[in-house]
C-alpha cells in the first residue's frame, strides 16, 4: 500500500513538472514573439535609392606643351641658344594675349650623351631640354600659339588638351542632378508600394566618372626650319559629359 502511494506521488510530481515546463515554454515563446513584435515596431524602417546625374562640360581652357631641345659639346653655347629660342617663344605667346601666370616652365634639364660601342663609351656632347606648359583661354588663339611655338625655334610640341578650370563647379551641377533624380525615383517607389517617405537620413556619393580632359596627339619633335611655314590649324574643343552617382536613404512608414 505504501509502495503504491509512493508511485502515485511520483506520477503527480512528473505530471506537475511537465505542466510547469510546458507553461514555461509557452510563456517563453509568447515573450519572444512579443519582444520581436516590439523590436519590429520600434526599429526604424528605411529605403535606399540609387541614381546618376550628368553635367555637360564645355572646355574653357586649352593646355599646350611646347619646348626646345638643343644639342652640342659646348655647354655655354647650347644654353644660350636654347634660352634665346625659348625666351622668343614666350614673348611671342604673351603678345598673343596669354598672361604670364598661364605660362609655366615644366622641365629644364641638361644631360650628357654617349655612344656605346664594343670598344667603350664615347662622349658625344650635351642635350638641353626646356619645356613649358601654356594655358590658352581664348580658343581662337590656340592655332597661333602652336604656330609660333615652332616658328620661333621650338622643336617639341606636346599634346593639346582641353579641360575646364573649375571642375568642382561642374561636379556640383552633376551632383545636384543626381540628387534630383534620386528623389524622383524614391517618390515613384513609394507611390507604387504604398510607403510613405519621411526624411532623408543619409546621402552617399558613390562615384564620379573620371574626367581628365581630352587631348589631341602626343609629343612630336620637329625641325623648326622645316616647319616654320606650317598652316595654322583650326581647333574645335567640343564638349563632354561628367557623371556623378549618389545613394539616398529615407526613413519610411
Amino acid at each position: 500500500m505504501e509502495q503504491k502511494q509512493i508511485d502515485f506521488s511520483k506520477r503527480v510530481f512528473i505530471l506537475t513538472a511537465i505542466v510547469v515546463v510546458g507553461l514555461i515554454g509557452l510563456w517563453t515563446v509568447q515573450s519572444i514573439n512579443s519582444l520581436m513584435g516590439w523590436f519590429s515596431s520600434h526599429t526604424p524602417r528605411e529605403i535606399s535609392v540609387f541614381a546618376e546625374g550628368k553635367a555637360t562640360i564645355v572646355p574653357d581652357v586649352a593646355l599646350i606643351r611646347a619646348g626646345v631641345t638643343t644639342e652640342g659639346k659646348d655647354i655655354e653655347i647650347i644654353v644660350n641658344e636654347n634660352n634665346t629660342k625659348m625666351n622668343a617663344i614666350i614673348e611671342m605667346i604673351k603678345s598673343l594675349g596669354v598672361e604670364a601666370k598661364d605660362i609655366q616652365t615644366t622641365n629644364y634639364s641638361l644631360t650628357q650623351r654617349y655612344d656605346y660601342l664594343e670598344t667603350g663609351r664615347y662622349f658625344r656632347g650635351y642635350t638641353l631640354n626646356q619645356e613649358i606648359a601654356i594655358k590658352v583661354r581664348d580658343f581662337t588663339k590656340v592655332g597661333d600659339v602652336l604656330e609660333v611655338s615652332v616658328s620661333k625655334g621650338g622643336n617639341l610640341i606636346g599634346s593639346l588638351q582641353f579641360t575646364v578650370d573649375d571642375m568642382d563647379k561642374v561636379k556640383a551641377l552633376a551632383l545636384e542632378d543626381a540628387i534630383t533624380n534620386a528623389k524622383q525615383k524614391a517618390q515613384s517607389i513609394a507611390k507604387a508600394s504604398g510607403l510613405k517617405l519621411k526624411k532623408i537620413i543619409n546621402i552617399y556619393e558613390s562615384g564620379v566618372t573620371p574626367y581628365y580632359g581630352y587631348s589631341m596627339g602626343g609629343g612630336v619633335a620637329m625641325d623648326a626650319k622645316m616647319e616654320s611655314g606650317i598652316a595654322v590649324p583650326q581647333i574645335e574643343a567640343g564638349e563632354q559629359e561628367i557623371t556623378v552617382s549618389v545613394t539616398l536613404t529615407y526613413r519610411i512608414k
Side-chain angles (χ1 to χ4, degrees):
M1 182 70 178
E2 184 177 351
Q3 181 65 35
K4 290 183 179 180
Q5 188 174 3
I6 293 174
D7 291 341
F8 178 76
S9 298
K10 286 183 177 180
R11 291 177 182 177
V12 171
F13 175 78
I14 292 172
L15 288 174
T16 302
I18 292 173
V19 171
V20 171
V21 171
L23 290 174
I24 292 175
L26 180 62
W27 177 83
T28 301
V29 171
Q30 290 178 340
S31 298
I32 292 174
N33 289 336
S34 298
L35 189 60
M36 291 179 64
W38 185 89
F39 275 116
S40 177
S41 62
H42 288 77
T43 300
R45 300 173 65 194
E46 300 174 356
I47 183 175
S48 296
V49 291
F50 171 86
E52 294 182 338
K54 297 181 179 180
T56 299
I57 294 175
V58 180
D60 55 13
V61 172
L63 301 177
I64 301 172
R65 183 170 59 87
V68 178
T69 298
T70 308
E71 297 180 347
K73 291 187 176 181
D74 189 309
I75 293 180
E76 183 177 354
I77 292 176
I78 64 174
V79 168
N80 288 335
E81 180 183 340
N82 190 286
N83 289 343
T84 298
K85 290 180 179 180
M86 181 57 76
N87 291 341
I89 292 172
I90 292 175
E91 289 305 314
M92 184 58 69
I93 290 174
K94 288 180 179 178
S95 72
L96 294 173
V98 178
E99 298 183 30
K101 67 182 180 67
D102 289 331
I103 303 174
Q104 180 184 26
T105 299
T106 57
N107 179 40
Y108 193 99
S109 60
L110 179 67
T111 57
Q112 295 179 332
R113 293 182 296 118
Y114 292 91
D115 282 334
Y116 293 89
L117 305 176
E118 293 182 359
T119 54
R121 186 180 72 167
Y122 298 90
F123 176 71
R124 289 187 57 194
Y126 299 94
T127 298
L128 176 60
N129 288 313
Q130 186 174 179
E131 297 178 26
I132 57 174
I134 311 149
K135 187 179 289 187
V136 184
R137 302 178 187 277
D138 182 356
F139 288 172
T140 64
K141 301 295 184 181
V142 172
D144 294 327
V145 171
L146 290 171
E147 193 275 332
V148 300
S149 296
V150 176
S151 64
K152 291 302 177 180
N155 52 11
L156 177 64
I157 297 297
S159 60
L160 167 61
Q161 184 181 31
F162 293 100
T163 185
V164 293
D165 234 8
D166 190 356
M167 182 58 68
D168 289 338
K169 182 178 180 180
V170 179
K171 289 181 180 179
L173 292 174
L175 181 60
E176 182 179 347
D177 184 51
I179 291 175
T180 298
N181 292 338
K183 287 181 177 179
Q184 292 175 350
K185 186 176 181 180
Q187 291 170 358
S188 297
I189 293 174
K191 182 178 180 180
S193 61
L195 298 174
K196 186 175 181 180
L197 300 176
K198 296 180 69 176
K199 65 178 181 179
I200 297 175
I201 59 174
N202 186 50
I203 300 177
Y204 175 67
E205 182 182 327
S206 55
V208 178
T209 301
Y211 176 78
Y212 306 106
Y214 46 102
S215 59
M216 300 170 59
V220 178
M222 58 184 67
D223 185 337
K225 293 181 180 179
M226 294 176 60
E227 301 293 339
S228 60
I230 61 174
V232 176
Q234 180 176 340
I235 304 298
E236 300 294 341
E239 61 182 34
Q240 195 167 324
E241 284 188 339
I242 184 173
T243 302
V244 175
S245 303
V246 297
T247 300
L248 302 186
T249 301
Y250 283 85
R251 283 277 169 80
I252 58 174
K253 64 178 181 179

